[in-house]
Amino acid sequence: MYSLKFDVDVCKNCPTGACLVNCQYLNADQETAVREMVNMAEGKDSFVLQECVTCYACEEYCKRGNHPFYLITEKREEKGILTAPRAITTQWINLCEPQGKYRLGEVKEKALSFGFMPEFLRWAKGKLFEDVMPSFIFGQEFFCNVVYIHFAETATFKKRLPGVIENFEKLGVQEVVFLHDECYGAFAHLAPAYGMEVPFKPIHYYEYLYNRLNELKDLIQPLNIRVAYQRPCSARLCADKHHFVADIMDLIGVELVQREYQDQNALCCGGIFSMCFGYDLAHEVQERNIEDMKTHQAQYCVFNCPACQNTLGSMVAKAGIKPIHMIHLCRMAIGEM
Amino acid sequence: MTDIAQALARIVGDAYVSNRPEEAYFYARDPGLMPSHPPDYVVVPKSVEEIQDIVRLAHQEKIPIVPMGAGLALTGLVIPLKGGIVMDMKRMNRILEVNEKGRYAVVEGGTSQGLLRSHLEKHFPRLRHSIPDSPATATIAANVMIHGQGRLTQQYGFNSDMICGLEVVLASGEVCRIGSPALSSDWFSKGAPMPDLSGLFLGWFGATGIITKIGVKLYPRKKMRDVEIFITDRQDLVPDMVYELTHTEMVEDINVFAQPKPMIFKDNHHITLFFTGDTEEELEFKRKMIWHSLDRFIKAKDGGFMGVPPVMKPTLLDMPQRSVSRFADVKKGGGFEYSGPIIMVDKYPDCAQKILELAEKYDLGYSGMARIIGRSHAMMYGFAFTFNRADEEMMERTRKALHEVSEFALETGGVFWKATVDEQKMAMDKMDPTTLGLMKMIKANMDPRGIMNPGNWEVDE
Ligand SMILES: Cc1cc2nc3c(=O)[nH]c(=O)nc-3n(C[C@H](O)[C@H](O)[C@H](O)COP(=O)(O)OP(=O)(O)OC[C@H]3O[C@@H](n4cnc5c(N)ncnc54)[C@H](O)[C@@H]3O)c2cc1C
Ligand code: SF4
């Protein structure tokens, strides 16, 4: 069985306790943060196990190579502390179970992975993708299974992720561009944290888009719009790729508004919050988030994750801000939309 | 042509009467499981007078007469069990009046749900009626005749509680009005404050008279509608959840379903909640009340609101919900029947357990679906099975499963909805004998020659 690499000694002499000190949903000073992390690592109880809302952000805040959120998840699971109602967890486990209904394009050494997000089957087209398409991979068999960490349910990804890695391997792919950054996070971050070997090179689609846009530079018409960026939870698992957001915006002439809830301070879209905890937390966070976009006069809200867009898209639209996915924004910049 | 056929042709015209085998074949059956039986004649009248003449002829010749809407009740209620005339009501499809401020419509006895809906949408966008999930061709009069339920049933009761007057052709051929239209030009009540005679017809499946006009109450149609789905793995808690939801008085319609396929629905019970508003604020306020009413279950992790993807919403918000009809054909071959007892909401766990047992025992595809009636006053629990009509063995298994459902329903305190002939017998056997005597007296007096949809609600000697 795969187990999490977590070094409690690294926490014991941590000068910042950044994981919890920076947390937007819990209150902790450095001393509390370190104490609670150590307590949890040693199997003791902690308020964190009860109160963490699963935003993943501490995985980014910790700069010392530990995995605070994965630890919280492990310990919750050990103690049977549920984050989501059982029915929600079961629904997701059933929904993403491999059923032999995956879809493959003409898969070559380099391929696009759509994970289990059907939107990408429609969205990945045009010049941006033409040098890889129709080499694509889609379906439960290639789904990263990271979502279960929201539900303190590591057993499912521990069981399924090795099979998913094997499925990629069987296709003989060398490089896989993941259009959902949670999938990228699975192979670049979570799998290594659990000692799973990944026999191909995962590429974040922002990096891919950035490089493609550079190749297509002649086609770019600066968009001259003001956008707010909705950073998803999964971006915390690939924080080293976050700079591509600003890089891409620069390249296509978009002004990224400098709002309060961006970068490290980003707020969750609220989708998982509502499923796990009901109305109040999700709506409070959503209202704050959208208000912030309005205050900074964003014309568009750019989404990275289709699930965030499903959750928040109509709400931002009602606030007069156009929801748009990063892929569509980039296609707009080269005159395809 | 026989004498009867000629006599019918004189009433409705040659084009609208038939005794040809191809028509007889079609009118001999419905999409359910009951054995077929051909009519001798099919007739499609256009007016009240034509209906009166047909009934007089049938009365005189002692020929059975079976009124038929779209034939979608599924339990054999339009199969002419003793032959005779099937009277297809579809040409009686005019919308005679919509009283906007009084919020009612008067329609003819063969008017379809779809027709009234589109008429209202076009001409009276602030009004709606309680639409059932049957295909849009289903008729309003027939739905009320079988005490159907629709989108507004959680708020206002059975669709038959939402009517405001009838015009009926009796077995003698006389025409009579029931409720306020019996003495007023206004249609606002099916009975009160006088003796309510509508009960002489509603629920009788056409065995006491033929509805030629019906007053349908209309309700405010808000500009927006939305849907949420609360899911739980605790079937025992569903009645409590429904109780809390109905307490809010914020929900338009509450449907609960559990089915093994597709995978997203496996292992859980789904409480689908529809709600409406004229403004974003109203809609959001209701959403908030609805969500909060279930907080204690969310806290205990016994249930939660699933994220309904935007692509799923149009399907759910569709009226009628076409996914129900699609389910009807999952086995291909178009066989679908559900036994839907009307039963207390606290029996939900027993019903959910029973359908699982039966699906396993008889190896059938299933969907358990409940529509809440009133503020948790009762529910229709549909034990729905799909089958391939070309597979006789599968049909037999389905028949057996549904028979067990009927027995279970009665034992559990339920009452059959749109009962098959067999279920009618079971119900009458169990019924208080004095009540049964009363039914017998009514039927004998209203249909002395036994010509009205014979075989249905016939009290044995
Ligand atoms: C996919 C599907 C979904 C359904 N969902 C629902 C639902 O949500 N709610 C619901 O209530 N039902 C539902 N039904 C059941 C049924 O289709 C409806 O109740 C429908 O309204 C019945 O109307 P009909 O015109 O088809 O009736 P028919 O089957 O034609 O007739 C029903 C009964 O009424 C009698 N009758 C017909 N017209 C007259 C008349 N003018 N005067 C006197 N008696 C008459 C007939 O003799 C018969 O006894 C569903 C059915 C299907 C197939
Ligand atoms: S998880 Fe990282 S940030 Fe948190 S206490 Fe440990 S080392 Fe410090």
Side-chain angles (χ1 to χ4, degrees), chain B residues 46 48 91-99 104-111 115-116 119 124 167 177 187 212-216:
Chain B
K46 179 73 183 155
V48 181
R91 288 173 71 221
M92 296 279 292
N93 63 355
R94 284 180 308 156
I95 292 163
L96 302 170
E97 181 190 352
V98 175
N99 186 317
Y104 71 78
V106 181
V107 303
E108 286 188 323
T111 308
L115 200 74
L116 179 60
H119 183 82
F124 301 93
E167 181 188 87
R177 290 203 168 175
W187 292 60
T212 46
K213 291 188 185 64
I214 183 162
V216 185

Coordinates of all heavy atoms in Angstrom, one line a residue, chain B residues 46 48 91-99 104-111 115-116 119 124 167 177 187 212-216:
Chain B
K46 N -66.6 14.9 -32.3 CA -66.1 16.2 -32.3 C -66.9 17.2 -31.4 O -66.4 18.2 -31.1 CB -66.1 16.7 -33.8 CG -65.7 18.2 -34.0 CD -64.2 18.3 -33.9 CE -63.7 19.7 -34.1 NZ -62.4 20.0 -33.5
V48 N -70.2 17.7 -28.2 CA -71.0 17.1 -27.1 C -72.2 16.4 -27.7 O -72.5 15.3 -27.3 CB -71.4 18.2 -26.2 CG1 -72.2 17.7 -25.0 CG2 -70.2 19.0 -25.7
R91 N -60.4 14.6 -30.7 CA -60.9 15.8 -31.5 C -61.6 16.8 -30.6 O -61.9 17.9 -31.1 CB -61.8 15.3 -32.6 CG -61.0 14.6 -33.7 CD -61.9 14.0 -34.7 NE -62.6 14.9 -35.6 CZ -63.9 14.9 -36.0 NH1 -64.6 13.9 -35.5 NH2 -64.4 15.8 -36.8
M92 N -61.9 16.4 -29.4 CA -62.6 17.4 -28.5 C -61.5 18.2 -27.8 O -61.2 18.0 -26.6 CB -63.4 16.6 -27.4 CG -64.5 15.8 -28.0 SD -66.0 16.8 -28.3 CE -66.5 17.2 -26.7
N93 N -60.8 19.0 -28.5 CA -59.6 19.6 -27.9 C -59.5 21.1 -27.9 O -58.5 21.7 -28.0 CB -58.3 19.0 -28.7 CG -58.4 19.5 -30.2 OD1 -59.3 20.1 -30.6 ND2 -57.3 19.1 -30.9
R94 N -60.7 21.7 -27.8 CA -60.7 23.2 -27.8 C -60.5 23.7 -26.4 O -61.0 23.2 -25.4 CB -62.0 23.7 -28.4 CG -62.0 23.5 -29.9 CD -63.3 24.1 -30.5 NE -64.5 23.4 -29.9 CZ -65.7 24.0 -29.8 NH1 -65.9 25.2 -30.3 NH2 -66.7 23.4 -29.2
I95 N -59.8 24.8 -26.4 CA -59.7 25.6 -25.1 C -60.8 26.6 -25.2 O -60.8 27.5 -26.0 CB -58.3 26.2 -25.0 CG1 -57.3 25.0 -24.8 CG2 -58.3 27.2 -23.8 CD1 -55.9 25.4 -25.0
L96 N -61.8 26.5 -24.4 CA -63.1 27.3 -24.5 C -63.0 28.6 -23.8 O -63.6 29.6 -24.3 CB -64.3 26.5 -24.0 CG -64.5 25.1 -24.6 CD1 -65.5 24.4 -23.9 CD2 -64.9 25.3 -26.1
E97 N -62.2 28.7 -22.7 CA -62.2 29.9 -22.0 C -61.0 29.9 -21.1 O -60.6 28.9 -20.5 CB -63.5 30.1 -21.1 CG -63.5 31.3 -20.3 CD -64.6 31.3 -19.3 OE1 -65.5 30.4 -19.2 OE2 -64.6 32.3 -18.4
V98 N -60.3 31.1 -21.0 CA -59.4 31.3 -19.9 C -59.8 32.5 -19.2 O -59.9 33.6 -19.8 CB -57.9 31.4 -20.4 CG1 -57.0 31.7 -19.3 CG2 -57.5 30.2 -21.2
N99 N -60.1 32.4 -17.9 CA -60.4 33.6 -17.1 C -59.2 33.9 -16.3 O -58.8 33.3 -15.4 CB -61.6 33.2 -16.2 CG -62.1 34.5 -15.4 OD1 -61.3 35.3 -15.0 ND2 -63.4 34.6 -15.4
Y104 N -58.8 30.4 -14.0 CA -59.2 29.1 -14.4 C -59.3 29.0 -16.0 O -59.4 30.0 -16.6 CB -60.5 28.7 -13.8 CG -61.8 29.4 -14.2 CD1 -62.4 29.0 -15.4 CD2 -62.4 30.4 -13.5 CE1 -63.5 29.7 -15.9 CE2 -63.5 31.1 -13.9 CZ -64.1 30.7 -15.1 OH -65.2 31.3 -15.5
A105 N -59.3 27.8 -16.5 CA -59.5 27.5 -17.9 C -60.6 26.5 -18.0 O -60.8 25.6 -17.2 CB -58.3 27.0 -18.6
V106 N -61.4 26.6 -19.1 CA -62.4 25.6 -19.4 C -62.0 24.9 -20.7 O -61.8 25.7 -21.7 CB -63.8 26.1 -19.5 CG1 -64.8 25.0 -19.8 CG2 -64.2 26.9 -18.2
V107 N -61.8 23.6 -20.7 CA -61.3 22.9 -21.9 C -62.2 21.8 -22.2 O -62.9 21.3 -21.3 CB -59.8 22.4 -21.8 CG1 -58.9 23.6 -21.4 CG2 -59.7 21.3 -20.7
E108 N -62.2 21.3 -23.4 CA -63.0 20.1 -23.8 C -62.3 18.9 -23.3 O -61.1 18.8 -23.0 CB -63.1 20.1 -25.3 CG -64.1 21.1 -25.8 CD -64.4 21.0 -27.3 OE1 -63.5 20.6 -28.1 OE2 -65.6 21.2 -27.7
G109 N -63.1 17.8 -23.3 CA -62.8 16.5 -22.6 C -61.6 15.8 -23.3 O -61.2 14.8 -22.7
G110 N -61.1 16.2 -24.4 CA -60.0 15.5 -25.0 C -58.8 16.4 -25.2 O -57.8 16.0 -25.8
T111 N -58.8 17.6 -24.5 CA -57.7 18.5 -24.7 C -56.4 18.0 -24.0 O -56.5 17.5 -22.9 CB -58.1 19.9 -24.0 OG1 -59.3 20.3 -24.6 CG2 -57.0 20.9 -24.3
L115 N -51.4 21.0 -25.1 CA -52.1 22.1 -25.8 C -52.4 23.2 -24.8 O -52.2 24.4 -25.1 CB -53.4 21.6 -26.4 CG -54.0 22.4 -27.4 CD1 -53.2 22.3 -28.7 CD2 -55.5 22.0 -27.7
L116 N -52.9 22.9 -23.6 CA -53.2 23.9 -22.6 C -51.9 24.6 -22.2 O -51.9 25.9 -22.1 CB -53.9 23.3 -21.4 CG -54.2 24.3 -20.3 CD1 -55.2 25.4 -20.8 CD2 -54.8 23.7 -19.1
H119 N -50.9 27.0 -25.0 CA -51.8 28.1 -25.1 C -51.6 29.2 -24.0 O -51.5 30.4 -24.2 CB -53.3 27.6 -25.0 CG -54.3 28.6 -25.1 ND1 -54.8 29.1 -26.3 CD2 -55.0 29.4 -24.2 CE1 -55.7 30.0 -26.2 NE2 -55.8 30.2 -24.8
F124 N -51.2 33.7 -22.0 CA -51.3 34.0 -20.5 C -50.0 33.6 -19.8 O -50.0 32.7 -18.9 CB -52.5 33.3 -19.9 CG -53.8 33.7 -20.6 CD1 -54.3 32.9 -21.6 CD2 -54.5 34.8 -20.2 CE1 -55.5 33.2 -22.3 CE2 -55.7 35.1 -20.9 CZ -56.2 34.3 -21.9
E167 N -68.5 19.2 -17.1 CA -69.7 18.9 -17.9 C -69.6 17.4 -18.3 O -68.5 17.0 -18.8 CB -69.7 19.8 -19.1 CG -71.0 19.5 -19.9 CD -71.0 20.2 -21.3 OE1 -70.4 19.7 -22.2 OE2 -71.5 21.4 -21.3
R177 N -74.1 19.4 -15.8 CA -73.0 20.2 -15.3 C -72.8 20.0 -13.8 O -73.8 19.9 -13.1 CB -73.1 21.7 -15.6 CG -72.9 21.9 -17.1 CD -72.5 23.3 -17.4 NE -72.1 23.4 -18.8 CZ -71.8 24.5 -19.4 NH1 -71.8 25.6 -18.7 NH2 -71.4 24.5 -20.7
W187 N -66.9 29.4 -13.7 CA -66.4 28.1 -13.2 C -65.4 28.3 -12.1 O -64.3 28.7 -12.3 CB -65.7 27.4 -14.4 CG -66.6 26.9 -15.5 CD1 -67.4 27.7 -16.3 CD2 -66.7 25.6 -16.0 NE1 -68.0 27.0 -17.2 CE2 -67.7 25.7 -17.1 CE3 -66.2 24.4 -15.6 CZ2 -68.1 24.5 -17.8 CZ3 -66.6 23.2 -16.3 CH2 -67.6 23.3 -17.4
T212 N -67.1 16.0 -20.9 CA -67.0 16.7 -22.2 C -66.4 18.1 -22.0 O -65.8 18.7 -22.9 CB -68.4 16.9 -22.8 OG1 -69.3 17.3 -21.8 CG2 -68.8 15.6 -23.4
K213 N -66.5 18.6 -20.8 CA -65.8 19.9 -20.5 C -65.3 19.8 -19.0 O -65.9 19.2 -18.2 CB -66.8 21.1 -20.5 CG -67.2 21.4 -21.9 CD -68.0 22.8 -21.9 CE -68.6 23.0 -23.3 NZ -69.6 22.1 -23.8
I214 N -64.2 20.5 -18.9 CA -63.6 20.5 -17.5 C -63.0 21.9 -17.2 O -62.4 22.5 -18.0 CB -62.6 19.4 -17.4 CG1 -62.0 19.3 -16.0 CG2 -61.4 19.5 -18.4 CD1 -61.3 17.9 -15.7
G215 N -63.3 22.3 -16.0 CA -62.7 23.6 -15.5 C -61.4 23.2 -14.7 O -61.4 22.4 -13.8
V216 N -60.3 23.9 -15.2 CA -59.0 23.6 -14.6 C -58.5 24.8 -13.8 O -58.5 25.9 -14.4 CB -58.0 23.3 -15.7 CG1 -56.7 22.8 -15.1 CG2 -58.5 22.2 -16.6

